[in-house]
Amino acid sequence: MRRIFRSRAVGAVLALAIVATACGSGDSTEGEPINVASFGFNESVIVAEIYAQALERAGYTVERSMNLGNREVVKPALESGEIDLVPEYVGTINSFLGGTPTADSQATWDEAKALFEELGVTLLAYSPAQDKNAYVVTAETASANSLTTISDLAPVAGEFRFGGPPECPEREFCLLGLQTVYGLEFAEFVPLDAAGPITIAALEGGDVDLALLFSSQGVIAEKGWVVLEDDMGLQPAENLVPAIRMEVLDAYGEDLSTLLSEVSVLILQDALTEMNKRADLDGEDPAVIAGEWLDDNGFEAS
């Protein structure tokens, strides 16, 4: 692989990340395929494809397990070796592992990395791009009910239908958090998909009054919807980060961690939002979007 350009700032971040995450000493790209997986929504597929195609361009053999499902499915598959690599989110995986995530990206990453390594998985360099849970209403609903913050939902929550992924009621940063941090009790929770087309259609069609989307989704601005401010700080840092089995890093060596970290630190917020828009609204293939991102960022076949 030949890199065309890297800013001084990115280079400095990457150098620190490589020191923190490199494992093993081998540098061969020969061996068992690396199985790259994603969660069941477009953003995860796009970023997983970015990692997978970057690996292929560098000469690694890759298998794919895209749209595998939610974290209850993906985490055990990663620990057992059924998959090798998945794009994660630092705050959510920290919490899922029993940690205490905060708005501090580095501290949240440090704790999640240490917890995951007890299970044979590590985290590499995290991306500047974040994707947090976003609690969204239509402009009409916001205007009619004077909604600008999540706290503003208190007088109307008992009349609202809230839509989100099926696992939301058990999630610290989803319905459970809205109940415990904000004291909100909704008229109904409607299980939908993970901020995908079903959720978008439900909010647009009035089947739900409040929906869980992701902050990097282009559909929010496109539709003129309103993201309610998280005024009580429910959501932690949610930088994208590659989670990879330590055994794989040991087998392939420092070059693998260097490559994946180099990719991660170049995924910027605006680019992530635009890629999501292309997949969610324009119906473009996530694999094509990922390949174009790699081209634009100078990752070429070795």
Side-chain angles (χ1 to χ4, degrees), residues 48 73 80 141 145 200 212 236 260:
V73 175
S80 69
T141 298
N145 297 278
I200 292 167
L212 180 122
L260 293 170

Side-chain angles (χ1 to χ4, degrees), residues 28-267:
S28 171
T29 58
E30 297 179 355
E32 293 295 319
I34 299 172
N35 193 317
V36 180
S38 81
F39 296 108
F41 53 93
N42 277 334
E43 178 176 274
S44 185
V45 178
I46 291 167
V47 178
E49 275 289 346
I50 287 174
Y51 292 138
Q53 292 181 39
L55 290 170
E56 289 173 331
R57 293 182 185 204
Y60 295 88
T61 302
V62 173
E63 293 179 347
R64 288 166 170 79
S65 297
M66 299 301 179
N67 286 300
L68 195 57
N70 60 23
R71 195 161 280 101
E72 283 84 355
V73 175
V74 172
K75 177 178 170 285
L78 187 60
E79 292 174 35
S80 69
E82 294 176 59
I83 61 174
D84 300 311
L85 169 66
V86 66
E88 260 293 359
Y89 298 87
V90 294
T92 300
I93 190 57
N94 179 306
S95 175
F96 202 77
L97 293 168
T100 308
T102 69
D104 185 322
S105 297
Q106 185 65 46
T108 300
W109 178 87
D110 287 340
E111 183 178 42
K113 182 174 184 291
L115 291 168
F116 230 166
E117 287 185 351
E118 296 177 8
L119 304 174
V121 180
T122 193
L123 301 179
L124 302 180
Y126 58 82
S127 167
Q130 298 194 44
D131 190 1
K132 299 184 179 185
N133 287 346
Y135 296 96
V136 179
V137 295
T138 65
E140 294 77 11
T141 298
S143 177
N145 297 278
S146 301
L147 302 177
T148 58
T149 70
I150 297 177
S151 291
D152 291 337
L153 287 167
V156 296
E159 302 170 4
F160 270 29
R161 293 156 298 170
F162 170 43
E167 64 271 20
C168 182
E170 287 76 45
R171 286 285 198 266
E172 180 182 358
F173 306 122
C174 200
L175 180 57
L176 185 61
L178 293 176
Q179 292 169 334
T180 58
V181 174
Y182 285 95
L184 299 177
E185 294 293 339
F186 295 97
E188 182 183 1
F189 172 74
V190 182
L192 302 169
D193 58 3
I198 298 173
T199 301
I200 292 167
L203 184 60
E204 188 167 36
D207 296 323
V208 297
D209 305 292
L210 174 74
L212 180 122
L213 295 176
F214 299 139
S215 61
S216 62
Q217 285 184 270
V219 67
I220 297 173
E222 185 79 10
K223 301 288 187 182
W225 291 341
V226 176
V227 176
L228 301 181
E229 179 190 348
D230 181 18
D231 54 309
M232 295 184 69
L234 171 62
Q235 303 301 322
E238 290 288 12
N239 305 76
L240 279 156
V241 62
I244 187 168
R245 292 198 306 120
M246 296 167 71
E247 184 179 351
V248 173
L249 289 185
D250 289 338
Y252 283 100
E254 187 173 328
D255 283 353
L256 179 59
S257 62
T258 299
L259 170 61
L260 293 170
S261 293
E262 186 171 38
V263 169
S264 292
V265 299
L266 290 173
I267 301 175

